Amino acid sequence: MADGVRARQREATRRALLREGRRLFALRGYTAVGLAEVVDAAGVTKGALYHHFGGKADLFRAVLAEVQQEVADRVAAAADAHEDSWTRLVAGCQEFLTASTAPQTQRIMLVDGPAVLGWSEWRALDEAASARHLAEAIAALVEEGRMAPQPVAPLTRLLSGAMNEAALWLAASTEATDLEHVRTALVRMLEAFRVG
């Protein structure tokens, strides 16, 4: 068998495991999903899973990284649709709230992510995916004089924490208007940091 065919088969197996792991983790949560269920759903063997991932936690880590990257891509696309740096910040933050409140995303990214991997590892993945973009947006606004001169890292952590908490609250909310109320409150909060 040619190396190219084997590489495609390996990648197809990996993608199937990620797809089915993601579906099951989102549907029932990390603790309720067994590896046998994932490999059955993906149509592969446990050996194939262990070839690609060290176990259930490693598969979950890969699923979480994929989800966080998708959210980060949505945030970046929403921000990049605007020329003005302030509008970019607001649009990106609002898109984070919208993207992260989808029930499947919320469960994997905000509920199970920190619980399964631990806070430090979860933060490192979050930093690599989206917190970096928030820090860059804040730094640009400080440099432009549109935010008061201040250390960027503390403000980034405060805003990120507030948005993560709001996303968790929204995921449990039953009121259709709560997302709009949170988005409005977020804009008011951000305005407090605006100069001019």
Side-chain angles (χ1 to χ4, degrees), residues 37-145:
E37 188 176 7
V38 174
V39 297
D40 285 348
V44 301
T45 65
K46 273 194 178 179
L49 182 136
Y50 286 113
H51 175 76
H52 292 281
F53 304 101
K56 182 176 160 182
D58 196 30
L59 172 62
F60 180 81
R61 183 178 295 106
V63 166
L64 173 61
E66 184 177 84
V67 169
Q68 284 184 316
Q69 189 58 55
E70 287 172 9
V71 170
D73 290 346
R74 283 183 61 178
V75 168
D80 291 345
H82 303 278
E83 291 293 322
D84 176 69
S85 56
W86 183 262
T87 307
R88 290 168 60 91
L89 172 69
V90 173
C93 289
Q94 288 190 336
E95 183 58 32
F96 172 83
L97 287 174
T98 302
S100 63
T101 54
Q104 301 85 358
T105 300
Q106 178 264 338
R107 175 172 232 155
I108 290 170
M109 190 171 85
L110 299 174
V111 176
D112 285 346
V116 172
L117 301 181
W119 183 252
S120 294
E121 187 173 354
W122 180 86
R123 278 302 293 151
L125 287 171
D126 183 56
E127 179 72 30
S130 61
R132 177 178 50 85
H133 296 297
L134 180 59
E136 289 169 359
I138 292 169
L141 287 163
V142 168
E143 187 176 308
E144 291 172 16

